[in-house]
Amino acid sequence: MATLMARPGTARSTGTATVWLAAWPVLAVFVLSNAPTPLYVVWQGELGFSSGTLTAVFACYIVGLLGALLVAGVLSDRIGRKPVLLPAVVLAMIACVLFATAGSVAVLAVARLLTGIAVGATVSAGMAAVTDIGGPERKRLAALAASSAMVLGAGFGPLLAGLLSETLPAPTVTIFVVEIVLLASAFAVVVRLDLPKGPGGRGPWIRIPAVAPGGRTAVLLGIAVFAPGITATSFVLSLGPSLLSSLLGAGNRIVAGGLAFVMFLGATGIQFAVSRLRLRTILLGGAAATALSMITLVSALRLSSFVLFGVAAILAGIGQGMGQFGGLTAISASVSADRLAEANAAQNVGGYLPAAVLPLSAGFLSDAVGLTTGATTFAGVVGAAAVVGALIVRVRAATVDSPR
């Protein structure tokens, strides 16, 4: 069976279908990232934990992801994508087994931690591998494939979990059996990919991801918009089911999973819609969508409106999708192949750190003062961050902007 060829840094490029196939492992791992979302209310009922504990379990995912980003980017650039991706897929499978057999909050926390590690490695090495496969002639296509695979996988996970948990026995087991099958196929794809070995290098293996001077503006712009966007979607994923159940009267797990799916479907669709726009336009649009999402979230809670909450979630997805795609596009145009994974890791560290801290803070604040007040405070902080991000883009985007 022929391998899937890629030689980054040369004129050789592969077909469009091969670029999309290379993105399959990213999608498969990200299906797991949010699959537990509609199941949290089930585990809450069985194990009896609070909103603060729920967001702490969710934050374990971010901790694992950030920890992986401190290693995976450097490791991938030095020894190659495949030695990082294959263990990441295996860790995701182990996490599936833990989720399916979880009988305590501690097991859920460990499963989320392992999921975060797998996702962090995939964000760094997997997305860089898609760029490697695309070659120099398909950088923008590769950025689109990698970014859309990430958000589409993140959306399919909760949708499948909601559907399977409501329609089949063992609501907290079936989705993870299905996910193991998806991950096995992803493992096979990674094995077939003919990715280059890393050139090695010097310096510490564990470090805060560093970016060469020519790529720092690109990473800054990505973080400025991606961070508020993914923080908004992280809130919907962690506390969204509780808000739907307790405040908006929508406790069905298919509704919770479907809402997360629609949110990430918006994140996916918007990337295709804006793929030929200028970078500055994409990033400003992402910041505006996130700010508007937070305004709509507050309105939804004040009016107890499920429809407005759904609109807020979709806008949050659009904000994340545009920020992520804009950042990846800027990085692929500004950073050399031998530092690409580390630059991707740097953008994700900047995005996921507030996505861990702010929803976690909102969860414990909600325990103290109520979900409505906690969510409103969260919305104000994230909305202000989106406005600051837009100001940064207006000042700095011209240095890396790319026309159609």
Side-chain angles (χ1 to χ4, degrees), residues 196-226:
K197 296 181 179 179
R202 298 180 179 179
W205 291 87
I206 301 175
R207 68 186 188 203
I208 301 297
V211 184
R216 289 173 186 169
T217 297
V219 172
L220 172 65
L221 292 173
I223 291 173
V225 181
F226 176 56

Side-chain angles (χ1 to χ4, degrees), residues 229-276:
I230 198 168
T231 302
T233 58
S234 294
F235 176 85
V236 174
L237 292 169
S238 58
L239 285 179
S242 297
L243 286 170
L244 288 171
S245 178
S246 62
L247 297 182
L248 303 179
N252 187 285
R253 293 188 293 276
I254 296 178
V255 173
L259 181 62
F261 173 73
V262 172
M263 177 173 72
F264 284 109
L265 188 64
T268 304
I270 195 65
Q271 294 181 61
F272 287 91
V274 304
S275 62
R276 297 184 63 82

Side-chain angles (χ1 to χ4, degrees), residues 6 22 76 81 85 124-134 193 195 340:
S76 172
R81 317 303 185 200
L85 278 173
S124 299
M127 301 179 98
V130 178
T131 302
D132 290 347
I133 291 293
L193 290 175
L195 294 165
L340 190 59

Side-chain angles (χ1 to χ4, degrees), residues 12-402:
R12 183 174 185 174
S13 63
T14 58
T16 298
T18 305
V19 175
W20 286 102
L21 181 61
W24 172 250
V26 176
L27 187 147
V29 172
F30 269 89
V31 167
L32 177 62
S33 68
N34 294 328
T37 294
L39 306 180
Y40 285 137
V41 291
V42 179
W43 284 314
Q44 271 189 300
E46 293 177 350
L47 304 177
F49 51 83
S50 67
S51 295
T53 302
L54 189 157
T55 52
V57 170
F58 184 86
C60 287
Y61 163 77
I62 308 290
V63 170
L65 188 150
L66 291 173
L69 291 174
L70 298 180
V71 181
V74 176
L75 197 65
S76 172
D77 285 337
R78 288 188 182 180
I79 69 173
R81 317 303 185 200
K82 193 176 294 188
V84 176
L85 278 173
L86 291 176
V89 175
V90 172
L91 277 181
M93 291 180 179
I94 295 171
C96 286
V97 174
L98 292 176
F99 277 125
T101 59
S104 68
V105 173
V107 174
L108 287 177
V110 172
R112 287 299 282 167
L113 182 70
L114 293 180
T115 302
I117 294 171
V119 169
T122 302
V123 162
S124 299
M127 301 179 98
V130 178
T131 302
D132 290 347
I133 291 293
E137 296 178 0
R138 297 179 185 270
K139 287 186 176 181
R140 193 149 181 135
L141 172 66
L144 177 61
S147 184
S148 60
M150 174 180 168
V151 292
L152 192 60
F156 267 122
L159 177 64
L160 287 173
L163 286 171
L164 295 176
S165 68
E166 289 283 1
T167 58
L168 295 176
T172 59
V173 175
T174 310
I175 176 59
F176 300 110
V177 175
V178 173
E179 171 62 0
I180 287 174
V181 174
L182 296 179
L183 290 168
S185 69
F187 190 93
V189 169
V190 176
V191 169
R192 286 189 59 201
L193 290 175
D194 184 19
L195 294 165
K197 296 181 179 179
R202 298 180 179 179
W205 291 87
I206 301 175
R207 68 186 188 203
I208 301 297
V211 184
R216 289 173 186 169
T217 297
V219 172
L220 172 65
L221 292 173
I223 291 173
V225 181
F226 176 56
I230 198 168
T231 302
T233 58
S234 294
F235 176 85
V236 174
L237 292 169
S238 58
L239 285 179
S242 297
L243 286 170
L244 288 171
S245 178
S246 62
L247 297 182
L248 303 179
N252 187 285
R253 293 188 293 276
I254 296 178
V255 173
L259 181 62
F261 173 73
V262 172
M263 177 173 72
F264 284 109
L265 188 64
T268 304
I270 195 65
Q271 294 181 61
F272 287 91
V274 304
S275 62
R276 297 184 63 82
L277 297 181
R278 297 184 69 89
L279 177 63
R280 184 174 185 271
T281 303
I282 294 170
L283 291 171
L284 287 175
T290 301
L292 186 56
S293 169
M294 294 298 95
I295 294 171
T296 309
L297 173 62
V298 173
S299 300
L301 296 176
R302 298 297 176 184
L303 299 175
S304 297
S305 171
F306 171 76
V307 173
L308 284 177
F309 187 79
V311 172
I314 293 170
L315 287 170
I318 290 172
Q320 177 188 331
M322 296 179 81
Q324 180 178 299
F325 175 58
L328 286 174
T329 300
I331 288 171
S332 66
S334 307
V335 179
S336 62
D338 62 334
R339 299 294 299 276
L340 190 59
E342 191 170 6
N344 287 342
Q347 174 176 298
N348 281 281
V349 167
Y352 277 102
L353 189 58
V357 173
L358 292 179
L360 178 63
S361 301
F364 283 106
L365 181 63
S366 296
D367 284 341
V369 300
L371 274 172
T372 300
T373 302
T376 300
T377 303
F378 170 87
V381 173
V382 174
V387 171
V388 172
L391 294 175
I392 292 173
V393 171
R394 287 182 63 87
V395 173
R396 303 293 296 274
T399 60
V400 295
D401 206 356
S402 56

